[in-house]
Amino acid sequence: MKKQTLSLLTAMAITAAVSGHAMAAPETGAASFTDVPAGHWSYAAIDQLVKDGVLEGNGDGTFAGNRSMSRYEMAAVVARAYGKRIIRKN
């Protein structure tokens, strides 16, 4: 089960790396980002991860989904996921 949880976090992180990056945004979900249309394939995932406090935007109302994520940003995402207990130990 621990491997499945780690795999899920890795998949979420990869999605985040492709879809956006982590730097300060409001906790209102994907709707708060001017560059994430409601019909975008990643909208629901971004929305949930923002509401869970795992992902953040640029602080200027954008998500910048086409920008690469740095290793520092990835570390912040993983730390927030662990801190929010999104990863549960069995």
Side-chain angles (χ1 to χ4, degrees):
M1 186 66 175
K2 192 173 185 178
K3 285 185 180 183
Q4 287 178 328
T5 304
L6 186 55
S7 295
L8 176 61
L9 178 61
T10 301
M12 288 172 32
I14 290 169
T15 300
V18 172
S19 303
H21 84 303
M23 296 293 284
E27 289 187 71
T28 57
S32 64
F33 302 123
T34 59
D35 59 343
V36 181
H40 194 273
W41 65 267
S42 65
Y43 183 89
I46 292 169
D47 187 58
Q48 188 60 56
L49 290 170
V50 170
K51 287 178 179 176
D52 287 343
V54 176
L55 288 181
E56 299 175 347
N58 286 322
D60 64 355
T62 65
F63 189 70
N66 292 324
R67 187 179 106 18
S68 296
M69 178 184 278
S70 74
R71 291 171 55 182
Y72 298 112
E73 293 165 331
M74 184 63 215
V77 168
V78 171
R80 282 194 295 271
Y82 273 109
K84 296 288 183 179
R85 297 184 188 259
I86 289 173
I87 300 171
R88 293 175 177 83
K89 293 182 181 179
N90 287 338

